[in-house]
Amino acid sequence: MRTPKIKGEKYLFPVVVLIIFLLFWQGISVSGRYTEDQLPGPVSVLKGFVEIWKQGVVFEHIIASFKRLGIAYALGVSAAIPLGLIFGWYGRLYLAIEPFIHVLRPISPIAWFPLAVLWFKIGDPPAIFIIFLSVFFPVLLSTIAAVRNVPSAYIKTARNFGSTEMDILLKVVIPASFPYITVGLHIALGLGWINLVAGEMLGAQSGLGFLIIDSRNFLRTDLIICGMLLVGFFGLLLDRIMRLLEKRVHKTWGFQPGVD
């Protein structure tokens, strides 16, 4: 039996949890177990945020991070989806390439750091490369799986009507696969954002990752936590945006996902 819903519980419960978390955080920071430099409280972090806000640097870092994410995400998606369609449609080609994909896929993007610096030096290129790797494989594999799981009845019906292989791919397989591909796009965006911070520590001179590492160099723990919270906030925002887009795609394409 379902528990009766409380009016506004969608927002009430998260707010209550947030308040409890802030109180717990503040309690630990003033308990004497840690110094202010080791664990600044919420008020100190807020003051640090106001400081960099007034300096005008916070928007520069946010814009720089989203710029790198946008470039890397666009490159990863534009490479992964066509390859995924090809590998998913041509089974023998996928059998040939599958071991290679599954050898590279488990390698953490962080493990590519040394090579990224050697190949691209420092600055934006290595960060974009790291994010690209984070995006590429989830989208590639989700696209391959989506194509391979298109109901065979769709394809047989199209062939019975005399459709060519290209017509079937463009007019049947891609539309039937797209709702599932959006799931990979959602996952890839989250992974790209997570690895963005690490990538920006490879010599970048701007971005939220740079803000965190630069604050560490100046022993500004309050700004380190501020940068971490900004990363978390925008990660949540991106997740919510992708959820809305997924729902729109599923509604438009008639896809019925499982119940959350």
Side-chain angles (χ1 to χ4, degrees):
M1 183 176 69
R2 289 179 60 87
T3 304
K5 287 189 176 182
I6 301 173
K7 186 176 181 180
E9 66 177 12
K10 180 179 179 181
Y11 304 102
L12 176 62
F13 290 162
V15 169
V16 171
V17 172
L18 176 61
I19 293 173
I20 294 173
F21 170 74
L22 291 175
L23 291 174
F24 179 73
W25 176 9
Q26 181 66 28
I28 294 178
S29 67
V30 300
S31 65
R33 182 176 179 84
Y34 301 101
T35 65
E36 181 71 14
D37 290 335
Q38 291 177 313
L39 182 61
V43 176
S44 298
V45 173
L46 179 59
K47 289 179 180 178
F49 176 75
V50 172
E51 177 186 335
I52 59 176
W53 176 284
K54 289 181 178 179
Q55 293 173 354
V57 298
V58 64
F59 281 115
E60 294 177 8
H61 292 311
I62 293 171
I63 292 172
S65 289
F66 273 100
K67 179 181 177 181
R68 295 186 185 102
L69 177 69
I71 294 172
Y73 189 77
L75 291 174
V77 169
S78 61
I81 289 181
L83 288 175
L85 292 172
I86 292 171
F87 295 151
W89 185 243
Y90 298 102
R92 291 180 179 176
L93 181 60
Y94 177 62
L95 289 175
I97 202 71
E98 181 187 18
F100 182 71
I101 293 174
H102 287 287
V103 166
L104 293 177
R105 182 184 62 84
I107 301 174
S108 170
I110 297 175
W112 291 88
F113 276 13
L115 292 176
V117 173
L118 287 174
W119 294 343
F120 304 106
K121 307 305 178 185
I122 60 174
D124 286 356
I128 291 172
F129 175 69
I130 295 300
I131 304 167
F132 171 87
L133 292 176
S134 305
V135 170
F136 178 78
F137 288 105
V139 178
L140 176 68
L141 292 175
S142 67
T143 304
I144 292 173
V147 173
R148 292 173 65 85
N149 284 284
V150 172
S152 59
Y154 294 178
I155 299 174
K156 290 179 181 178
T157 301
R159 283 176 176 157
N160 289 338
F161 279 98
S163 299
T164 64
E165 291 294 299
M166 185 58 65
D167 284 338
I168 295 174
L169 180 62
L170 295 177
K171 299 178 182 180
V172 178
V173 173
I174 292 178
S177 303
F178 191 65
Y180 294 92
I181 294 174
T182 58
V183 177
L185 295 174
H186 188 170
I187 295 171
L189 184 62
L191 290 173
W193 184 249
I194 290 171
N195 287 282
L196 166 75
V197 176
E200 288 182 334
M201 294 179 180
L202 292 177
Q205 298 301 308
S206 61
L208 295 175
F210 170 77
L211 172 62
I212 293 172
I213 200 71
D214 190 55
S215 300
R216 183 206 65 179
N217 294 336
F218 287 96
L219 301 178
R220 290 294 304 272
T221 317
D222 56 336
L223 295 185
I224 293 175
I225 297 176
C226 180
M228 293 168 61
L229 291 176
L230 285 171
V231 171
F233 170 77
F234 284 110
L236 174 65
L237 183 63
L238 289 172
D239 178 74
R240 291 296 184 265
I241 292 172
M242 286 302 296
R243 284 190 184 186
L244 290 174
L245 292 175
E246 277 186 282
K247 288 181 179 179
R248 187 178 184 88
V249 168
H250 294 165
K251 182 178 180 180
T252 302
W253 296 72
F255 175 67
Q256 297 295 330
V259 179
D260 292 335

